[in-house]
Amino acid sequence: MRLSQMLFVTLRDDPADAEIPSHKLLVRAGFIRRLGSGLYAYLPLMWRVLEKVKRIVQEEMNRTGAQECLLPQLQPSELWKMSGRWDTYTESEGIMFALRDRLERELGLGPTHEEVITAIAKEMIRSYRQLPVNLYQIQTKFRDEIRPRFGLMRGREFIMKDAYSFHCDEASLKSTYEAMDQAYRNIFSRCGLDFRAVDADSGAIGGSGSQEFMVLADAGEDEILYTEDGLYSANIEKAVSLPTDAKPSRFSTYKKEPTPDTATIAKMCQCLGCDASNVVKNVLYQAVYNGGKTVLVLVSIRGDQEVNEVKLTNELTKLASHYESTNILSLTVPDEKEQQKWAAKSLPLGYISPGISDDYIAKNASVADKFLRLVDQTAVDLTNFATGADEVDYHVTGANWGNDFSLPKLVVDVRKALVGDRPVHDPNGELKTARGIEVGHIFQLGTKYSQAMGATFTNEQGEEKPLVMGCYGIGVSRLAQAAVEQSYDKDGIIWPTAIAPYEVVIVVPNVGDGEQMQVAEQIYAECQAAGVDVLLDDRNERAGVKFKDSELIGIPYRVVTGKSLKQGQLEVVKRADKSVQNLAIATVVPTLVTSIKADKKAS
Ligand code: ATP
Ligand code: MG
């Protein structure tokens, strides 16, 4: 490609709305252009990067026997109603764009494709003889994200590779899951990324089978907890750890004590002279189920611990059938306005006890009339603890489960693991923290969708069984930007060679110089003949501008037809470390071919 023919515009200044380096650089270097919130045009340079990522994804997926297809992006609501996800995805904080067609039929714009693929499998897969199969597509997904940001990292329209596998049993699912794990490792390595596979939350369906692939970068939206021995790493949403031991309690008899103005744990501990681990903290949440019921949830947890809302959501989802529902729409800490909707009287916030009376909830058909009380394992073992007295400015001390408060029947693990905690496998170790960008997720779904949608097959024994499923996603456009977030310097992007839009840029300092142009054309033709992706900067611009641009757009190798031409040599500069080689004209392209090959192998 000749730069003089390209729509190529670089910006001197960072775009005002860009917060992280990769976003700034991709806009400045003319790879992407914003059209609206979370909406970006992939310009020609970016499209080449995306095509290269896609090619790598296709090669590694095909190698496992997966087959590429393309599914509709417009999805009938009936499918999502069958799976029970229509309400969750369209109401409240739902992320699906929903619309009506001219016949008033409801449709959603695909944020993901479990429903579509399960509907197809239901019609096409009859027998165990057709299993296992794994289908994938690379396609634009639509999600009405609450906070679109960071350019392609969290878009409302983005490119995803999603795969769905079908099996006759768990063992077959596990084997494909492992093949996907390996394929993902190959893909991310080949794209030149520094990544880590971590245990991930798999929602209320539980199971051990979910892993995310994180590109390590400070700008990552996810937090990872890991151990240095390499034996444990998990998304903080999912992470487990050993809590520290509670300090011995200094209380021995049950007493109500005045504790004015101590609505926080820190203040109350100071006032009572106790440690936060001697406290049972009672956190009030409001859960809205898709059946329409609002449920007030009281979580009792040790005072020095925090609630992990992802774990709590999973526990509450398991209880959905108690409230004629299948899912929860939202989980929030109710603010004053929300409280007014259901509170019969003003709540003793900051002083709530585990036994707070259900009379605080006004009679209302859409609100469950009793608190749903859960206790975290950390609070179960406490004795002689301090907690709220259900009266503002008062706490009780020396309390015990069984005597003073009944222990909630639902004992759960909803505790947030934190950096510095002891890992479960090594009580002498310590959890470290890192930030990551989630570029992929592999997931053992089991029969969640097949059961809900009636997708069954006949097994070897002639019995009708629900299909066992797995799903596997890669954020293709997010991955491309994540590569930049990991690889840039003050002058611009440093693309890993395997996904660079061009591998070589030939810079002609003076296009008016006949010899320079002629040699440049010769190298250009040689590169093309050798299968090297080459860009020729034949613009009538100052040399300085061309050098700056070539660094900004991050092409791995730059060939300059400059001063050394007099000695029959060309200057070859490596973008990553700016190292310079002067090579005889005839050896330039063979040398480049070798270097490019080595780069791709190394990653
Ligand atoms: P996140 O936790 O970041 O919101 P997710 O769990 O919703 O992601 P999945 O449904 O597992 O994501 O989608 C598969 C992959 O698609 C993710 O691993 C991620 O790389 C990518 N992805 C998800 N949402 C977006 C988005 N809004 N913009 C760009 N890529 C995305
Ligand atoms: Mg995910």
Side-chain angles (χ1 to χ4, degrees), residues 263-510:
T264 64
I265 296 285
K267 282 188 184 165
M268 103 177 239
C269 286
Q270 199 178 19
C271 176
L272 290 169
C274 68
D275 188 75
S277 67
N278 306 136
V279 175
V280 170
K281 165 166 83 174
N282 306 289
V283 193
L284 182 65
Y285 285 97
Q286 170 174 325
V288 180
Y289 281 91
N290 63 346
K293 266 269 192 297
T294 294
V295 178
L296 301 157
V297 182
L298 192 67
V299 182
S300 299
I301 188 167
R302 207 172 81 188
D304 60 337
Q305 305 296 319
E306 298 296 326
V307 176
N308 175 330
E309 292 180 3
V310 174
K311 290 185 183 175
L312 179 59
T313 302
N314 292 342
E315 293 298 336
L316 295 176
T317 306
K318 287 188 211 157
L319 299 171
S321 63
H322 297 233
Y323 303 104
E324 289 96 47
S325 307
T326 50
N327 247 321
I328 96 167
L329 293 176
S330 67
L331 177 71
T332 49
V333 173
D335 59 17
E336 219 162 291
K337 208 165 129 219
E338 286 297 323
Q339 289 164 29
Q340 276 167 13
K341 291 187 191 156
W342 52 261
K345 50 191 170 178
S346 149
L347 289 154
L349 293 176
Y351 303 88
I352 291 180
S353 89
I356 187 171
S357 164
D358 292 324
D359 293 347
Y360 277 96
I361 306 174
K363 295 264 166 294
N364 178 337
S366 66
V367 180
D369 56 2
K370 289 191 169 54
F371 287 104
L372 171 60
R373 294 166 208 262
L374 305 174
V375 60
D376 181 75
Q377 191 61 53
T378 51
V380 174
D381 306 327
L382 293 185
T383 54
N384 291 317
F385 55 79
T387 193
D390 292 333
E391 188 179 334
V392 170
D393 292 345
Y394 286 89
H395 282 90
V396 296
T397 57
N400 285 287
W401 297 113
N403 293 344
D404 312 301
F405 299 103
S406 39
L407 183 71
K409 281 191 205 68
L410 290 163
V411 178
V412 289
D413 167 20
V414 291
R415 175 181 155 265
K416 197 181 211 168
L418 296 173
V419 58
D421 282 355
R422 296 171 299 160
V424 175
H425 74 275
D426 174 16
N428 297 318
E430 196 183 311
L431 290 177
K432 307 264 180 214
T433 176
R435 300 214 64 93
I437 301 164
E438 180 195 323
V439 288
H441 193 172
I442 59 175
F443 202 110
Q444 296 180 27
L445 287 171
T447 56
K448 179 181 156 101
Y449 294 94
S450 54
Q451 219 147 27
M453 298 178 69
T456 58
F457 72 104
T458 311
N459 71 9
E460 242 181 306
Q461 288 73 42
E463 301 155 336
E464 183 115 334
K465 293 277 178 197
L467 289 159
V468 179
M469 291 174 61
C471 72
Y472 319 93
I474 291 183
V476 171
S477 45
R478 181 186 284 184
L479 182 162
Q481 185 173 330
V484 178
E485 195 59 39
Q486 265 190 345
S487 182
Y488 65 90
D489 64 14
K490 65 175 189 2
D491 298 315
I493 300 170
I494 305 172
W495 285 107
T497 303
I499 61 171
Y502 292 94
E503 293 157 337
V504 172
V505 55
I506 303 165
V507 173
V508 187
N510 178 7

Side-chain angles (χ1 to χ4, degrees), residues 88-137:
T88 333
Y89 270 70
T90 56
E91 282 171 26
S92 179
E93 290 175 356
I95 51 155
M96 180 150 65
F97 289 101
L99 57 122
R100 281 174 193 278
D101 67 13
R102 63 178 73 240
L103 297 175
E104 289 295 312
R105 287 173 300 214
E106 281 174 318
L107 297 157
L109 268 179
T112 178
H113 278 76
E114 283 83 5
E115 280 79 359
V116 170
I117 197 86
T118 308
I120 289 166
K122 176 179 174 167
E123 288 175 18
M124 296 187 66
I125 300 175
R126 299 256 171 262
S127 154
Y128 71 93
R129 284 191 218 93
Q130 295 167 281
L131 299 173
V133 289
N134 191 3
L135 294 170
Y136 76 94
Q137 59 171 347

Side-chain angles (χ1 to χ4, degrees), residues 143 145 152-155 158 160 438-441 475 478:
R143 294 187 181 180
E145 296 279 358
L152 307 184
M153 293 287 192
R154 188 165 297 284
F158 60 96
M160 194 199 288
E438 180 195 323
V439 288
H441 193 172
R478 181 186 284 184

Side-chain angles (χ1 to χ4, degrees), residues 1-3 5-9 26 29-33 41-52 495 499-502 535 553 555:
M1 183 72 210
R2 289 163 197 276
L3 206 42
Q5 294 171 357
M6 243 169 85
L7 175 63
F8 180 69
V9 181
L26 286 176
F31 283 75
I32 58 173
R33 198 90 199 176
Y42 311 118
L43 298 171
L45 284 175
M46 193 70 213
W47 188 245
R48 290 185 66 93
V49 174
L50 293 169
E51 286 288 317
K52 288 196 176 179
W495 285 107
I499 61 171
Y502 292 94
L535 186 63
I553 64 176
I555 308 302

